[in-house]
Amino acid sequence: MVLKDYLRDRSTLVDSALDRWLPGEKHLPYSLHQAMRYSVFAGGKRLRPILMVAASEAVGGSAGQVLHAACAMEMIHTYSLIHDDLPAMDNDDFRRGRPTNHKVFGEAVAILAGDALLTEAFRLLADAEANRSTPPETVLRVIELVARYAGSQGMVGGQVVDMESEGQEVDFPTLEYIHTHKTGGLILASVQVGALLGGGDEKQFAALSRFGGAAGLAFQIADDILDVVGDQAELGKNVGSDQARGKATYPALLGLAEARQRAKELCDIAVEALTPLGAAADPLQTLARYIVERNS
Ligand code: GRG
């Protein structure tokens, strides 16, 4: 598998589905729909939806079975980025290589664009036509799972602990809480939803859960490392901001070398977890390595 081709093909698939599902810019209210589309189509890597599609295929499912949920996950991720960039939170000027949403549309519309993306994501997860080949109890399990990983005991909770830890001495368990909740959870949820909607059994779900937990934490450690050694132009956002804000990160707590070692160990754990799935999980194996070796 050539990773570059795989990522490009899957991104194209996800982008055209997002374009179909998101309300058009010519639908009222224009500014809101423009703001939603501005951030969604600002050039993200589509890692979470691609992982979901790959997880579905790893259990014998298809991309078509999960595409709506993959788009929903990207909408939730994009909402979190829009809100995270707001003056009340990280107050960032650039994201995905463009001025942040509130810089272009103003704070009020940026807040509402995030709110609308989150709400639209749950509408999509519940869409009857998109879920026509999935048992209703599986659809409900997916909705509950995504809500749990996105809410106060998931991403939003991780964001709060992250904010409250700025400029504080943070111990290792708190750092792991922040990373697994703020970022790791949506990655874990993406592969779990892929397993469920792809028709996987409980053994496959458990294997992919182990994979997603390790890959999700590895992703955030790699993100911490990129904030220290990454290239601003390639990342499309400012670097060095974690240290400037006194954020809790792996390199800050463990040093760069140990942080890299921990990311590599987690990647190995993720790859090992895929053994019961055989060759169908090869793309996930490649994606796990990409997560820790990427430059953006
Ligand atoms: C505001 C509720 C709320 C939550 C914010 C995800 C998050 C929580 C904040 C984002 C801050 C941040 C940059 C975290 C680092 C990890 C991360 C989510 C990076 C961005 O994800 P990528 O690299 O981005 O997948 P693209 O743009 O490629 O989709």
Side-chain angles (χ1 to χ4, degrees):
M1 180 190 111
V2 181
L3 178 67
K4 220 170 91 209
D5 296 345
Y6 184 85
L7 293 177
R8 193 201 47 232
D9 291 353
R10 299 305 149 121
S11 288
T12 306
L13 194 69
V14 170
D15 281 3
S16 56
L18 278 165
D19 190 36
R20 275 199 312 278
W21 286 109
L22 277 168
E25 294 187 352
K26 297 205 164 92
H27 283 81
L28 278 167
Y30 309 126
S31 59
L32 181 66
H33 293 143
Q34 276 164 15
M36 290 160 75
R37 283 177 166 265
Y38 173 83
S39 289
V40 168
F41 293 111
K45 293 183 288 298
R46 310 303 191 215
L47 181 67
R48 294 151 194 81
I50 291 173
L51 281 169
M52 195 186 291
V53 170
S56 169
E57 291 175 343
V59 299
S62 68
Q65 276 165 273
V66 300
L67 210 47
H68 66 294
C71 291
M73 198 58 86
E74 187 66 20
M75 289 180 198
I76 295 172
H77 169 56
T78 305
Y79 121 75
S80 80
L81 298 179
I82 295 173
H83 282 193
D84 184 66
D85 290 335
L86 286 166
M89 290 194 230
D90 273 4
N91 194 17
D92 271 316
D93 294 346
F94 284 96
R95 168 72 66 184
R96 292 176 162 174
R98 289 182 173 190
T100 41
N101 199 291
H102 64 274
K103 285 275 162 193
V104 179
F105 297 95
E107 271 182 63
V109 170
I111 292 168
L112 293 166
D115 293 343
L117 282 168
L118 175 62
T119 312
E120 191 65 17
F122 279 94
R123 191 198 65 72
L124 203 44
L125 286 170
D127 189 272
E129 176 58 20
N131 285 302
R132 66 192 174 282
S133 54
T134 303
E137 60 274 18
T138 305
V139 176
L140 280 179
R141 188 170 166 191
V142 164
I143 293 170
E144 190 278 333
L145 186 156
V146 176
R148 187 155 33 89
Y149 283 113
S152 69
Q153 296 185 75
M155 179 177 69
V156 176
Q159 175 78 347
V160 170
V161 178
D162 187 30
M163 277 164 33
E164 290 175 352
S165 302
E166 276 186 23
Q168 310 282 323
E169 285 267 316
V170 167
D171 59 15
F172 198 72
T174 308
L175 177 65
E176 274 217 338
Y177 178 93
I178 294 170
H179 281 22
T180 52
H181 288 73
K182 187 180 88 168
T183 320
L186 277 203
I187 290 178
L188 171 56
S190 297
V191 293
Q192 287 185 331
V193 170
L196 291 172
L197 294 180
D201 61 26
E202 288 303 326
K203 232 177 103 196
Q204 291 171 318
F205 181 83
L208 284 170
S209 300
R210 274 196 303 283
F211 169 86
L217 183 53
F219 174 88
Q220 182 57 60
I221 299 175
D223 201 78
D224 286 355
I225 295 170
L226 283 172
D227 194 67
V228 180
V229 301
D231 178 82
Q232 196 149 312
E234 270 188 85
L235 286 169
K237 61 175 185 178
N238 297 332
V239 293
S241 53
D242 290 342
Q243 198 189 358
R245 288 195 188 99
K247 285 232 186 211
T249 68
Y250 267 70
L253 216 67
L254 300 181
L256 208 46
E258 218 177 303
R260 282 194 171 117
Q261 181 57 28
R262 183 70 187 130
K264 192 187 160 309
E265 280 165 16
L266 285 161
C267 174
D268 292 343
I269 292 171
V271 168
E272 175 70 32
L274 298 172
T275 308
L277 299 163
D282 283 355
L284 284 175
Q285 212 180 101
T286 310
L287 286 167
R289 304 220 182 279
Y290 163 72
I291 280 174
V292 293
E293 287 162 13
R294 69 203 162 94
N295 299 318
S296 67

